[in-house]
Amino acid sequence: MSRCITFSSFTLVIALMSCGPDKQETHEGSNMLKVLHDKRVGSISVYKNEGRDLLLIQNAKQGMRPYIHPIMAPDGNGELTEFSPEHHKHQTGLYWGLKKVNGRDYFMNFNEDYWKQVSVRVVEEMGSRVQWQTVYDLLDDKRNAVLTETQTWSLTEIKGKFLLDLEWRGVAKTDITMEKFYVGGLFLRMPWRNGIRGEVVNAVGQKNGDAEGQRAIWNDVGIQVPGRGDLAHIALLDHPDNKDFPIPWRVDNELGVGPSRQISGDWKIGRGETEVIRYRLIVYTGELNLVAMTEAWKNYVCE
């Protein structure tokens, strides 16, 4: 099967050739991972090396929006996410938050007036790939559920990189509209400070503010976190099965990044209907290679 994907960021055409075995990412050389679920604390922690080295923590507490923090560098040297920085107190590492859902803001607000936990479970506890799932209700001002979201996350470590996959599934409990806004959906906050070395680059080479609001198949955030001499990166990859592909991106002044369908206009989910959205994140260190990252995007699409 072949796909030809055409979109404008000025004008760019990417032809995706046949998805044969040579185009697919294999798990050869992948590390064995292990998940620990602490129901008392409300956390799911992923480890490698027989539980010695932490990779990330999924925070899934009662009465609070779920979020992932920290995400560690693949070599263990440095935390690559930040929780509630002074410049954006509402940003919680890696998280999903929609704006203006029937007029209500789930991006800025992450407390129990807006979120109710339904369930949290580990799907695959150990192996070369692990998987977990959180289910939360988004509440209106009368504490009625307007949307039930299920986040299913999968993690693999391969060739010194983490592949972190998300399937977001939203089931509308009533007719809902996500109004046009400059942000809303998946969002990544890496640790930013004035004067640090850091850069956002998208698939067509636009950087930082030039990538704001632009459509791209992927965006990469590279930041020099404390204790490192090189950049630590998290790349976010869009999927062609997502509606409004390729997605426009929010890139804020502090290098916070998120794909957002809301940027291009209102979108709706009718009562009883389900919306499914997929993304992949690649966590790595060193230099960004645009050609290699686009090849990694092709591998993701071809799986």
Side-chain angles (χ1 to χ4, degrees), residues 73-181:
D75 61 7
N77 184 14
E79 293 188 2
L80 308 192
T81 52
E82 186 171 19
F83 177 85
S84 193
E86 287 298 323
H87 51 80
H88 287 96
K89 297 291 287 183
H90 59 278
Q91 295 180 359
T92 53
L94 177 64
Y95 63 97
W96 187 284
L98 293 165
K99 293 285 290 189
K100 302 179 77 173
V101 181
N102 289 356
R104 197 157 161 85
D105 187 350
Y106 299 88
F107 189 88
M108 297 285 291
N109 297 288
F110 52 80
N111 57 32
E112 62 185 355
D113 293 335
Y114 290 77
W115 301 83
K116 180 181 178 181
Q117 186 186 104
V118 176
S119 65
V120 179
R121 69 187 184 102
V122 175
V123 181
E124 297 179 50
E125 183 178 10
M126 187 177 299
S128 60
R129 185 185 82 156
V130 292
Q131 187 176 82
W132 64 95
Q133 185 180 87
T134 66
V135 183
Y136 279 73
D137 284 338
L138 279 63
L139 306 178
D140 65 16
D141 58 2
K142 296 181 177 59
R143 295 191 63 79
N144 297 314
V146 297
L147 179 75
T148 298
E149 65 149 50
T150 300
Q151 298 181 22
T152 303
W153 294 91
S154 304
L155 180 66
T156 302
E157 185 194 18
I158 180 168
K159 300 177 182 177
K161 299 178 180 179
F162 300 155
L163 306 183
L164 179 60
D165 289 348
L166 169 64
E167 180 194 86
W168 182 90
R169 185 175 296 265
V171 179
K173 302 301 184 179
T174 187
D175 292 336
I176 60 173
T177 299
M178 278 63 68
E179 297 177 39
K180 178 179 173 65
F181 205 76

